[in-house]
Amino acid sequence: MSWSSCLVNPPGEDPALLVSLTGTSTSFLLDCGDLRRLPLKELLRVRRVFVTHTHIDHFVGFDWLLRAQLFVTEPLCVYGPPGFAAQVAGKLQGYAWNLVEDSVFRVEAYELGPDRVLQQVFWCRDKFALSSSRELAWDGTLPEGMRLRWASVVHGVDCLAYRLEWPAETRVDKAALKELGRAPGAWLQELKRDPSVDPELASRLLLSIPSRALAYVTDTVWNKVSAKALIELCSGADELWCEACYLHKGLEKARHHLHMTARQAGKLACAAGVGKLHLFHFSRRYPEGVEHIAEAAEQFQGISPARTFGTSTVDC
């Protein structure tokens, strides 16, 4: 499985990264700022939301997403740092709920701690009262086949950085299959399970796809402790979406507000050996981020302009 990613809003506005799973009707969000740019069909595709922290610019879009999904049959799974489930419950209880008795929709909130995961479930038909709460032994594997990893970062409140990993896989080369004049069937699954059944055929038909990863980092100060954790989390990622709130000349302001500079984002990308770096979450002082890109490029050459929903020629 592959993915495409783009910001919902321009880089100087509320953070929200839309990750669409190629060939499916499913997408994820990393952070949940203002979502009003997304049409209803896109809001309905979102099945998982990974929230770094609940400052208003990262979580205000949850209400907009909830409104769109009240009669969806699948759950909306939302993930965040310790204390997150109570904040989700607070949002759900902030409204009056009637005329929803026929809904089978539910919200599943997951608190991601360093050594435990807490799941709480809220059913729409029960007016989003808490229906269950339990601790899970969970390694981060998601039903869609990828694995979620997270790390705590420093922002004055509980805050997380995320990594989504797609495992290595073996695919059938459809063009080669057609060229050989062979019809697909159970034999292909057997060949994928055990290529030694016919090594020559396997070499012609099977493609080995390496593991891939996307990392997302925002709202943290850059120091020795956070640098170590972030380099480990982002190591080898194909894409790194990283905040660059300030320029290096605003370093003291960045430290005071517990944010990163563009230079520090470039250092992280270089040290972690990522494939591409996308910068976002610029201070409103520099909404375009032109100087940020130039500054980060002094540390890391693989910078790509951040794709934004509805304005990019790249399918997001």
Side-chain angles (χ1 to χ4, degrees):
M1 183 181 291
S2 58
W3 76 91
S4 57
S5 56
C6 62
L7 294 174
V8 173
N9 305 303
E13 298 183 20
D14 283 7
L17 180 68
L18 182 67
V19 178
S20 301
L21 306 186
T22 307
T24 77
S25 59
T26 297
S27 61
F28 298 160
L29 281 170
L30 289 132
D31 272 333
C32 197
D34 187 353
L35 300 181
R36 288 175 295 173
R37 282 185 172 86
L38 292 182
L40 180 61
K41 66 177 183 179
E42 291 294 340
L43 292 169
L44 293 174
R45 286 166 50 97
V46 177
R47 299 273 43 92
R48 303 186 189 279
V49 184
F50 307 101
V51 178
T52 57
H53 64 299
T54 52
H55 279 164
I56 192 167
D57 56 330
H58 293 255
F59 198 38
V60 71
F62 176 77
D63 297 48
W64 193 255
L65 181 60
L66 177 69
R67 181 182 183 182
Q69 297 213 1
L70 285 176
F71 288 90
V72 171
T73 57
E74 299 175 86
L76 175 65
C77 299
V78 291
Y79 305 76
F84 179 67
Q87 292 170 311
V88 171
K91 272 188 169 279
L92 294 172
Q93 291 306 309
Y95 296 96
W97 298 110
N98 66 328
L99 308 178
V100 294
E101 293 81 4
D102 295 333
S103 172
V104 296
F105 175 70
R106 69 184 185 273
V107 174
E108 297 181 2
Y110 295 82
E111 286 187 8
L112 307 176
D115 53 9
R116 72 159 195 163
V117 174
L118 174 69
Q119 179 206 53
Q120 294 194 342
V121 180
F122 308 85
W123 287 88
C124 181
R125 65 192 178 204
D126 295 332
K127 301 181 179 180
F128 290 112
L130 176 62
S131 66
S132 67
S133 180
R134 59 176 180 152
E135 290 193 14
L136 304 177
W138 185 52
D139 67 354
T141 300
L142 299 169
E144 292 81 5
M146 67 283 297
R147 184 185 178 198
L148 175 70
R149 291 174 53 195
W150 60 91
S152 295
V153 297
V154 179
H155 193 53
V157 296
D158 287 312
C159 186
L160 301 176
Y162 290 108
R163 177 188 178 102
L164 285 167
E165 295 180 340
W166 282 255
E169 60 180 315
T170 300
R171 293 182 189 169
V172 175
D173 186 333
K174 294 182 180 178
L177 185 67
K178 184 177 180 180
E179 185 179 322
L180 287 173
R182 301 287 297 268
W187 67 273
L188 271 178
Q189 295 303 317
E190 178 61 30
L191 187 65
K192 287 172 68 176
R193 280 193 298 270
D194 184 8
S196 65
V197 170
D198 191 331
E200 183 178 350
L201 192 60
S203 67
R204 296 187 64 180
L205 290 180
L206 300 184
L207 301 174
S208 295
I209 309 299
S211 62
R212 288 146 294 155
L214 177 150
Y216 180 88
V217 175
T218 187
D219 290 54
T220 180
V221 70
W222 178 260
N223 57 30
K224 290 182 179 180
V225 175
S226 64
K228 181 179 179 181
L230 290 175
I231 291 169
E232 181 179 348
L233 183 75
C234 301
S235 179
D238 297 85
E239 284 189 73
L240 167 60
W241 290 82
C242 187
E243 73 152 350
C245 198
Y246 294 92
L247 294 169
H248 185 69
K249 63 186 178 183
L251 179 61
E252 289 307 313
K253 192 175 289 290
R255 288 172 175 166
H256 177 73
H257 293 288
L258 303 176
H259 278 286
M260 290 174 63
T261 67
R263 180 179 295 182
Q264 291 166 343
K267 285 183 177 180
L268 170 59
C270 182
V274 305
K276 292 181 181 179
L277 170 63
H278 307 289
L279 302 180
F280 72 106
H281 206 6
F282 304 139
S283 167
R284 293 181 181 179
R285 294 175 178 82
Y286 327 96
E288 301 302 323
V290 175
E291 293 177 85
H292 295 67
I293 292 173
E295 183 172 285
E298 295 173 2
Q299 308 295 322
F300 179 77
Q301 297 301 309
I303 298 180
S304 296
R307 302 181 290 268
T308 304
F309 182 83
T311 63
S312 174
T313 57
V314 178
D315 178 22
C316 67

